[in-house]
Amino acid sequence: MKLPLTLGEFIIENQRDFPYASGELSQLLSSLRIAAKVVNREINKAGLADIRGAAGNDNVQGEAQQKLDVFANDIFIRSLRARGEVCGVGSEEEEDFISFNDPIHNTSKYVVLIDPLDGSSNIDVNVSVGTIFSIYRRVSDPGTPVQMRDFLQSGSEQVASGYIVYGSSTMLVYTTGRGVNGFTFDPGIGSFYLSHPNLTIPRRGKIYSINEGNYVHFPEGVKKYIKFCQEFNPESDRPYSSRYIGSLVSDFHRNMLKGGIYIYPKGTTAPNGKLRLLYECNPLAFIAEQAGGKASDGYGRIMEIVPTDLHQRVPYFIGSIEMVEEAERFMKQYADLVS
Ligand code: P6P
């Protein structure tokens, strides 16, 4: 039986899709692949940290124990800086963007936006978490330090995006604009193997994911859509099932495979929603669209929003295209009603 391709082999094989690619994007994706392995190892040990660590915050090596999201941030930034493809990084963990301002990195072609460890509060209760990344070509002049405008690009300009879900198994799923492919990590060998080639999201599913604890704060259209999901209708498989892990990457990944919709709408406690446009919503939107799904702010395409701030938040509806369009119809129909 032929072994499935490793992620490294797949990246090289598909480099040929980019006639002008000089291998830099491949190198960049490999940097992310390596960092993912390191973070995965630490996450898998997290539960032992208290047992293994010395008294206080030191671990067995006597090193100051970092919070895992800070650790993941350091690892991904260090891995991206170690090679010469990236001139700067925007991260959920960093107030401002990081410029790798030196003669080599200033000639680099790409910038990366990343949420190093989304849902990290779930680690203490052993719920899966994830990393989300987004890759753009810089728009400022090569040879100069990266600028904020290199990061504030619409999602439609993304060159590649992806996520790593550290779950019952660890998977890396990414797109370069030619479909979506998923790779599962074999810890025994230390390689990611192509396990989900040409991933597509079902046009419709039976799952809706939203924190209904915030129901009273939701816009009227969201309230009406939730009740629509809960109504009995055998023709459309309703009522749907409510599944909400509290970890965006995990909820999104499950809905990608089974079909479903994830919604984080605006509300009085989150006037623009909670999720970040640049390093959470846009990268997953690129994946969703490439897999035949849809990503919206309830009214329009997420990837057409022109960003104004590195950490700006947007309302978020993502998943099976027919379900997102259903939700958009409710948002439009009840747009004027203040909930
Ligand atoms: P809430 C995690 O903090 C996160 O950013 C997403 O991963 C998750 O879907 C959402 O927030 C959970 O937020 O307000 O429902 O607890």
Side-chain angles (χ1 to χ4, degrees):
M1 183 186 79
K2 187 171 181 298
L3 261 180
L5 283 178
T6 66
L7 176 55
E9 291 163 339
F10 184 89
I11 291 171
I12 298 299
E13 275 214 1
N14 287 273
Q15 180 176 302
R16 287 195 280 270
D17 284 347
F18 297 86
Y20 307 110
S22 49
E24 286 157 302
L25 182 59
S26 300
Q27 290 286 7
L28 200 176
L29 289 168
S30 284
S31 305
L32 293 167
R33 169 172 60 99
I34 292 163
K37 291 181 185 179
V38 175
V39 171
N40 177 61
R41 185 186 59 200
E42 284 308 302
I43 288 174
N44 289 341
K45 289 190 305 187
L48 295 171
D50 298 342
I51 304 167
R52 293 180 55 206
N57 286 330
D58 289 341
N59 61 21
V60 287
Q61 288 80 21
E63 295 152 359
Q65 209 154 4
Q66 286 182 325
K67 282 181 62 185
L68 270 173
D69 43 9
V70 173
F71 172 81
N73 186 55
D74 291 352
I75 291 297
F76 276 101
I77 290 172
R78 208 179 305 162
S79 190
L80 289 168
R81 190 197 300 264
R83 297 185 180 173
E85 298 77 37
V86 173
C87 51
V89 175
S91 169
E92 199 262 353
E93 292 292 329
E94 306 283 345
E95 188 52 39
D96 199 355
F97 65 82
I98 293 176
S99 170
F100 298 160
N101 183 11
D102 62 46
I104 293 176
H105 288 99
N106 284 349
T107 60
S108 303
K109 240 191 245 178
Y110 298 107
V111 296
V112 174
L113 287 140
I114 190 162
D115 185 352
L117 208 56
D118 178 72
S120 53
S121 58
N122 291 301
I123 287 179
D124 299 344
V125 293
N126 218 2
V127 167
S128 52
V129 292
T131 296
I132 311 170
F133 61 87
S134 175
I135 302 170
Y136 290 87
R137 277 185 203 80
R138 71 180 300 175
V139 291
S140 58
D141 296 338
T144 64
V146 70
Q147 298 175 29
M148 180 61 86
R149 64 194 180 102
D150 292 309
F151 298 97
L152 299 184
Q153 299 184 57
S154 300
S156 53
E157 297 301 315
Q158 290 174 99
V159 174
S161 76
Y163 62 87
I164 299 118
V165 52
Y166 309 95
S168 47
S169 63
T170 292
M171 276 193 70
L172 187 151
V173 178
Y174 83 100
T175 183
T176 55
R178 296 167 188 274
V180 178
N181 291 281
F183 300 80
T184 299
F185 187 59
D186 179 337
I189 297 180
S191 293
F192 282 97
Y193 284 97
L194 180 61
S195 53
H196 297 67
N198 303 313
L199 263 175
T200 55
I201 184 166
R203 289 183 62 81
R204 168 175 297 287
K206 291 189 64 175
I207 296 169
Y208 71 101
S209 307
I210 188 169
N211 183 345
E212 296 191 52
N214 297 325
Y215 181 87
V216 296
H217 304 299
F218 288 156
E220 195 60 25
V222 172
K223 291 180 177 176
K224 296 292 187 196
Y225 178 66
I226 290 174
K227 292 307 166 197
F228 168 80
C229 292
Q230 294 167 346
E231 264 170 12
F232 178 73
N233 180 337
E235 286 168 23
S236 64
D237 281 346
R238 298 203 316 273
Y240 296 151
S241 294
S242 174
R243 290 284 183 279
Y244 190 73
I245 299 177
S247 178
L248 167 63
V249 172
S250 306
D251 278 316
F252 175 71
H253 182 71
R254 180 204 52 242
N255 292 351
M256 269 276 286
L257 299 181
K258 293 180 175 290
I261 184 172
Y262 171 101
I263 302 175
Y264 206 106
K266 71 176 187 173
T268 45
T269 53
N272 295 311
K274 177 181 183 183
L275 300 180
R276 313 290 189 160
L277 174 61
L278 290 183
Y279 41 77
E280 291 173 333
C281 300
N282 271 333
L284 297 184
F286 192 16
I287 294 261
E289 290 194 2
Q290 284 290 312
K294 189 166 185 177
S296 158
D297 62 359
Y299 303 101
R301 186 178 179 229
I302 278 287
M303 293 212 295
E304 282 173 11
I305 296 175
V306 179
T308 53
D309 180 84
L310 203 55
H311 301 287
Q312 81 183 73
R313 302 173 193 268
V314 290
Y316 200 40
F317 299 64
I318 186 169
S320 296
I321 188 164
E322 290 179 13
M323 298 176 84
V324 173
E325 288 175 349
E326 252 165 13
E328 287 181 319
R329 283 194 291 275
F330 280 93
M331 292 301 285
K332 190 172 179 184
Q333 184 179 350
Y334 296 95
D336 303 335
L337 280 181
V338 178
S339 56

